[in-house]
Amino acid sequence: MRGGRYVLFINKLEIETSGKVTRTINFHSGLNLIVDATPSAFVANKKPATGNGVGKTTVLRLIDFCFGKDPKSIYTDPEEKRPIVEVQNHLTSERVLVRLTLSSNPNEVCGETKYVIERNFFNNRNQKVLRINGKSFSGVQEFMNQLGFDLLNLDPKSKPSFRQIVARNFRIDPPAVDNTLKYLGNYVRGPEYETLFLFLLGIQMPDRAPIVRKLGTEQKFLKRLERQPREELALALEKNRDDITKVQLKRSRLNVDPLYSEKLQQLDNLKYEQNVLDNRLTAGKLRKSLIEEAQKQVKSKKSLINVEELTALYGEAQNLLSNLETSFDQLLQYNNAMVDSRSDFIGRELPVIEKKNNRLEKQSSIIQENIKNLRDELADSNTTQELENLSEQMGQLFETKGRLSSRIDQIDEERKKIDALSEELSDVDNMAFSQEMHSKIQGRLIKLNRFFYQYSQSMYGEDSGVTFRVKKDKATGKQYYDFYVFSPNNSSSGKKQGEIAAFDLGYADFAKEQKIPILDFVLYDKKELMHGNQLLQILKDADSANEQIIVPILADKIPTDLNADKRIVLRLSQENKLFGF
């Protein structure tokens, strides 16, 4: 055991079709190769083979699928971004089930630590299979929560999420395949990456993200309230009070029945109370509208993608990788996974606000009825025209007073909320950005970089390491730790792949030393971009690090010095595709 858990490697992947196992792939320690053995040209018609479409990368996606990945990644064309209908139909019509077996021994299943994950491609409850060690789960989130608890000792409510953490182990598609640290892509903001990297370093720090989000909502609400500045409202209120005093003085000099005056005063008070209630109700409805609008904006991100940013991202990636196979779904799926969580957080106040709005509406209705009754009583009294005019003027002044007072109170209340949240965030920041925390992060990076330097030197003869700096989030203006890789030269795509592998191996050694729970395997695509010597070095380093690495590769890209037969776990070709077609 390490860190209170068993070390787990992948032992085998089974594909079951119509109730029968049609493909079993057994894995072992160190480097595992999934080879496309398609010849350079078909003998029969001399048609060049593409080297794609046989299913070698799909094996990686099936393993990722067992850890909660969206099933669309299995049957969606990575270039066309459209479903491959033949594959999609096959997965359901043939009742394809994927079974992944892990244990503490990479070379044979250890009965004491055997861990079996099963999943199929149905969505309806009656046919869907989501099982861990024989236990069924009704939903994917519950399923992933159990994986996170079992494998990484994660609290389901904590950040970062299970999928954010394990994305480093599945470097199959962009951005994970070509980004050493920012493997979740540019759609994840700096503060979220900060939470992830601190977790990877084994450093616990209060999650500032909920405070930042709440502060942003309250600031937006205050901005709407202050469309007319508070100072202007306060001056208008003072003038209103003076006007009320003048009208009250005029009315007091009239010879009026005392009972009539008392009813007029009651009417004025009721109008004031009604206006205060109406303004509070308006504010409550505005707050509800803002929250629902925020939820709508968050949920809209499931489908409304910033094409310009995505195009820029792809352009940057294509500058590094000439033959980059970009998967838009990888970004969209991560985005969608986060949207529901953020929407639930934003809308948690809605029930309280709706209850308060209903109560205010009932109170306002009662006051309106009382006003109507008083007006009916006063209408039956004998009054002078002057008194009626003064009474109407007084009513309007009190309504204005209620509106102005309510607006000022709302602004003051909102400012207090923002001050309290800012103070709370400041307390967290004071601890998070203290010299003690800075030194702690620096100390962990020194330990991590010892391993990173070792593997980057062996991989491509250069020192690469991880460092950090304090930056400001553009959206909130708040500070966060930004982690990045410093490297003398990683301009080529092959060298970048070597840097990523060196980091992953170095981090594995660091995590084991610090007893930080991790998955003990990494799945890579695009490693054919590396020089053959680097692939040989990965083999040696994976053995020394006791890390399991699984790589799909074309047969003609395998270095001649590599003992391929010992390392190949699956041979595929145009005549022997993964699903048989």
Side-chain angles (χ1 to χ4, degrees):
M1 294 184 70
R2 185 178 77 234
R5 70 174 185 93
Y6 284 103
V7 178
L8 290 182
F9 299 94
I10 298 175
N11 290 117
K12 62 180 176 179
L13 176 72
E14 296 171 280
I15 301 175
E16 189 177 286
T17 307
S18 299
K20 296 181 180 180
V21 176
T22 53
R23 178 90 63 178
T24 300
I25 308 169
N26 294 301
F27 299 91
H28 49 68
S29 60
L31 183 63
N32 295 253
L33 297 179
I34 300 167
V35 176
D36 180 355
T38 302
S40 58
F42 287 113
V43 176
N45 56 16
K46 305 297 182 182
K47 179 181 177 181
T50 64
N52 294 319
V54 300
K56 60 185 190 299
T57 301
T58 303
V59 174
L60 307 189
R61 300 189 198 281
L62 289 174
I63 297 174
D64 197 7
F65 173 66
C66 289
F67 285 86
K69 183 73 172 180
D70 193 304
K72 290 181 180 179
S73 65
I74 310 298
Y75 56 79
T76 300
D77 187 298
E79 293 182 358
E80 299 295 331
K81 312 295 185 264
R82 290 181 298 186
I84 304 172
V85 177
E86 185 180 13
V87 175
Q88 185 178 9
N89 291 340
H90 172 78
L91 294 173
T92 52
S93 65
E94 298 299 323
R95 296 181 288 114
V96 173
L97 179 139
V98 184
R99 182 181 300 109
L100 188 69
T101 303
L102 307 97
S103 78
S104 59
N105 186 339
N107 297 311
E108 62 178 339
V109 178
C110 175
E112 292 182 0
T113 59
K114 183 179 178 181
Y115 194 86
V116 181
I117 305 170
E118 296 173 286
R119 193 177 176 192
N120 69 4
F121 295 88
F122 288 104
N123 290 322
N124 64 74
R125 179 170 296 185
N126 293 333
Q127 294 178 291
K128 177 169 55 179
V129 174
L130 285 168
R131 285 196 295 259
I132 299 175
N133 288 337
K135 179 182 177 181
S136 295
F137 296 84
S138 59
V140 176
Q141 189 58 55
E142 181 189 10
F143 172 76
M144 288 194 295
N145 288 345
Q146 189 65 50
L147 288 172
F149 179 78
D150 291 345
L151 304 180
L152 301 178
N153 197 28
L154 289 180
D155 181 346
K157 298 179 181 178
S158 68
K159 296 292 183 181
S161 69
F162 174 71
R163 284 299 306 178
Q164 285 178 322
I165 296 168
V166 302
R168 185 191 65 81
N169 299 85
F170 297 97
R171 295 188 181 272
I172 306 170
D173 298 298
V177 76
D178 42 38
N179 285 274
T180 305
L181 296 185
K182 302 296 175 69
Y183 53 79
L184 298 177
N186 291 338
Y187 291 99
V188 176
R189 288 172 45 216
E192 290 180 271
Y193 268 122
E194 174 197 66
T195 302
L196 173 60
F197 294 145
L198 289 175
F199 175 89
L200 294 179
L201 291 174
I203 297 175
Q204 297 295 323
M205 191 171 73
D207 185 7
R208 297 179 302 132
I211 306 174
V212 171
R213 285 194 293 267
K214 177 66 174 174
L215 182 59
T217 300
E218 298 299 342
Q219 288 172 333
K220 186 176 181 180
F221 185 49
L222 178 62
K223 186 176 181 179
R224 292 201 179 187
L225 289 176
E226 289 186 323
R227 286 176 178 171
Q228 185 176 7
R230 186 194 184 284
E231 293 73 15
E232 185 178 322
L233 293 170
L235 291 172
L237 181 60
E238 285 301 319
K239 182 181 183 303
N240 173 267
R241 288 170 178 163
D242 291 341
D243 291 342
I244 288 174
T245 301
K246 291 176 183 178
V247 174
Q248 284 177 331
L249 182 61
K250 286 182 182 180
R251 197 171 68 176
S252 67
R253 290 172 179 170
L254 295 176
N255 185 18
V256 182
D257 182 5
L259 186 60
Y260 187 86
S261 299
E262 181 180 342
K263 290 181 178 180
L264 282 177
Q265 186 63 50
Q266 290 177 8
L267 182 61
D268 291 340
N269 292 338
L270 286 172
K271 288 179 178 180
Y272 172 73
E273 290 177 20
Q274 182 189 8
N275 198 265
V276 170
L277 285 174
D278 289 345
N279 275 278
R280 289 179 180 173
L281 182 59
T282 300
K285 290 179 178 179
L286 175 59
R287 177 177 288 276
K288 178 185 176 185
S289 173
L290 280 171
I291 292 174
E292 291 174 340
E293 179 184 333
Q295 283 186 309
K296 183 178 179 181
Q297 289 175 351
V298 168
K299 289 181 177 179
S300 71
K301 293 181 181 177
K302 284 189 175 182
S303 58
L304 297 179
I305 301 301
N306 190 320
V307 177
E308 293 182 358
E309 283 190 38
L310 185 58
T311 303
L313 174 62
Y314 290 170
E316 181 181 347
Q318 288 171 341
N319 288 334
L320 295 174
L321 300 171
S322 59
N323 61 343
L324 174 64
E325 296 181 2
T326 306
S327 172
F328 176 79
D329 271 353
Q330 174 67 19
L331 300 176
L332 183 59
Q333 290 155 10
Y334 165 75
N335 181 72
N336 290 350
M338 296 300 297
V339 162
D340 292 335
S341 176
R342 290 179 179 172
S343 176
D344 291 342
F345 177 84
I346 290 170
R348 72 193 193 287
E349 290 185 292
L350 280 177
V352 176
I353 292 173
E354 290 175 347
K355 184 177 180 180
K356 182 178 179 181
N357 287 349
N358 291 337
R359 178 171 54 81
L360 290 173
E361 286 178 342
K362 290 180 181 179
Q363 291 176 347
S364 179
S365 177
I366 293 172
I367 290 175
Q368 287 176 8
E369 183 65 24
N370 291 338
I371 288 175
K372 179 180 180 302
N373 292 337
L374 272 175
R375 280 177 172 165
D376 290 343
E377 292 177 15
L378 291 171
D380 294 336
S381 302
N382 295 321
T383 62
T384 64
Q385 185 63 43
E386 183 178 6
L387 181 59
E388 290 179 1
N389 291 340
L390 289 174
S391 298
E392 183 179 355
Q393 187 178 353
M394 184 68 76
Q396 293 174 351
L397 287 170
F398 271 99
E399 287 179 5
T400 301
K401 179 183 178 182
R403 177 178 58 81
L404 293 172
S405 299
S406 179
R407 290 279 300 278
I408 291 172
D409 290 343
Q410 290 169 19
I411 290 173
D412 290 343
E413 182 180 351
E414 200 59 32
R415 286 180 175 180
K416 288 178 182 178
K417 288 182 180 179
I418 290 173
D419 288 343
L421 287 168
S422 297
E423 185 176 352
E424 184 181 357
L425 187 60
S426 178
D427 291 341
V428 174
D429 284 348
N430 287 338
M431 184 195 75
F433 298 99
S434 65
Q435 185 58 46
E436 180 183 359
M437 181 60 71
H438 188 280
S439 299
K440 189 173 185 178
I441 295 173
Q442 187 75 11
R444 294 293 173 90
L445 288 180
I446 288 172
K447 294 178 179 179
L448 169 61
N449 285 337
R450 286 184 185 137
F451 297 110
F452 196 180
Y453 295 151
Q454 171 190 331
Y455 290 113
S456 61
Q457 270 290 339
S458 69
M459 200 83 64
Y460 49 89
E462 294 179 1
D463 289 333
S464 294
V466 179
T467 186
F468 71 107
R469 60 196 167 194
V470 176
K471 294 182 70 175
K472 280 191 175 181
D473 181 39
K474 292 181 181 179
T476 64
K478 300 301 179 181
Q479 295 184 113
Y480 69 92
Y481 288 116
D482 177 53
F483 294 83
Y484 62 98
V485 172
F486 62 87
S487 180
N489 180 17
N490 62 358
S491 57
S492 71
S493 56
K495 185 169 287 187
K496 185 65 178 180
Q497 293 300 310
E499 176 191 288
I500 291 171
F503 170 76
D504 289 337
L505 290 167
Y507 178 73
D509 282 351
F510 166 79
K512 293 168 188 175
E513 179 187 74
Q514 298 296 315
K515 300 189 185 319
I516 299 170
I518 60 169
L519 300 180
D520 297 284
F521 53 85
V522 184
L523 281 57
Y524 290 112
D525 200 7
K526 308 298 182 188
K527 286 307 178 198
E528 63 267 16
L529 296 174
M530 298 177 62
H531 191 277
N533 291 337
Q534 289 182 329
L535 195 59
L536 287 169
Q537 192 60 48
I538 286 182
L539 168 61
K540 297 176 183 178
D541 291 340
D543 287 340
S544 66
N546 193 29
E547 190 77 355
Q548 191 177 48
I549 293 179
I550 303 173
V551 178
I553 193 168
L554 296 172
D556 57 6
K557 296 292 184 179
I558 300 175
T560 55
D561 294 339
L562 190 145
N563 185 355
D565 290 336
K566 180 180 178 183
R567 299 294 173 177
I568 294 174
V569 296
L570 178 64
R571 294 178 187 271
L572 297 170
S573 67
Q574 294 293 335
E575 291 76 22
N576 179 30
K577 295 185 178 183
L578 182 66
F579 291 125
F581 60 90

